[in-house]
Amino acid sequence: MDTEQLRLAVYRSFATTGRPPSRSELAETTGLPIAAVDAGLQALHEEHHLALDPSGERILMAHPFASIPLGFSVMGRRTLWWGGCAWDSFALPHLLPDDPQVLVATNCPGCGAALAWTVTNQAPPPGDQVAHFLTPVARMWDDVVRTCGHQRIFCNEQCVDTWRSRTGEPLGYVMDLTTLWRLASGWYDGRLDQGYVRREPKTAAAYFAQAGLTGPFWGLPG
């Protein structure tokens, strides 16, 4: 089935209200019966346009939006969103034309300190903090909720080490805020538009390299 109308309804609801539409709302918006809505959502889940809960009825994520708290809040002029992760939270002002500036807030997983930045679509925010991504890009969709829940921002690399010692997690990929901002800046271009197409691995790798990322974590040479 053609799921594009359904995909747009999901994304536009998140963008304007900060929450996903219900199945009945999707049926009303699209004119589809509930059974077709359910089948379409499952197809979008399998195509990695969104993530459903195990029941298949609740939309957990439609990147860069989330319906569950994963460590970040993002406040625009009129709307408050859950930021799915550091990557997604920094992406929102680039995707939303009415919110070119947002307030991104979180806590350092290492020491618990409150952290916040004014993030715009014009330039990276100042700050010496670092982002740590746990899961390599090739495995990010194995458990996308865990992946996003472990794309966090820390005060510094010492706080990353503190968190790793406490949790037993391995070292992933560490980047500064400027690199995080570049990664987020164009990744979701077109996602709110008709006919959006996800990047193929080759074009994704080229995008990562342009953002300044390197090494096998990103499927790139060291």
Side-chain angles (χ1 to χ4, degrees):
M1 66 178 294
D2 183 1
T3 58
E4 182 62 4
Q5 184 183 11
L6 191 62
R7 186 193 70 80
L8 282 173
V10 170
Y11 274 86
R12 289 173 179 174
S13 176
F14 265 119
T16 56
T17 70
R19 66 170 183 83
S22 67
R23 295 159 66 234
S24 60
E25 287 172 332
L26 286 171
E28 181 178 354
T29 299
T30 62
L32 295 170
I34 290 291
V37 168
D38 290 342
L41 290 176
Q42 186 60 43
L44 290 169
H45 173 83
E46 292 170 1
E47 294 164 2
H48 294 172
H49 285 290
L50 51 81
L52 300 175
D53 73 354
S55 74
E57 296 185 0
R58 183 185 179 196
I59 301 168
L60 300 180
M61 307 182 75
H63 297 287
F65 306 108
S67 67
I68 52 176
L70 290 168
F72 291 86
S73 63
V74 183
M75 186 170 65
R77 291 190 302 166
R78 300 182 183 87
T79 308
L80 180 65
W81 296 273
W82 289 124
C85 57
W87 185 349
D88 288 349
S89 297
F90 272 49
L92 286 178
H94 302 279
L95 180 66
L96 302 169
D98 293 334
D99 285 281
Q101 175 177 301
V102 298
L103 179 66
V104 175
T106 189
N107 292 91
C108 172
C111 70
L115 303 173
W117 308 266
T118 298
V119 182
T120 76
N121 62 6
Q122 296 299 309
D128 297 327
Q129 297 85 10
V130 298
H132 176 263
F133 286 19
L134 181 63
T135 307
V137 68
R139 303 205 311 272
M140 285 183 177
W141 277 93
D142 292 355
D143 182 345
V144 70
V145 174
R146 172 176 164 79
T147 293
C148 291
H150 287 84
Q151 293 181 353
R152 299 294 303 273
I153 301 179
F154 294 74
C155 296
N156 47 47
E157 292 193 45
Q158 181 178 352
C159 278
V160 175
D161 292 340
T162 298
W163 171 80
R164 289 181 54 231
S165 295
R166 185 172 67 244
T167 62
E169 297 286 3
L171 180 65
Y173 193 95
V174 178
M175 68 187 84
D176 59 21
L177 294 185
T178 296
T179 304
L180 174 64
W181 184 89
R182 286 199 304 263
L183 170 64
S185 62
W187 181 251
Y188 294 116
D189 285 354
R191 190 153 285 199
L192 296 179
D193 301 330
Q194 182 80 31
Y196 171 79
V197 177
R198 287 174 54 84
R199 286 181 177 84
E200 296 295 329
K202 184 175 181 180
T203 56
Y207 179 91
F208 297 147
Q210 187 177 23
L213 302 166
T214 61
F217 188 96
W218 299 98
L220 296 167

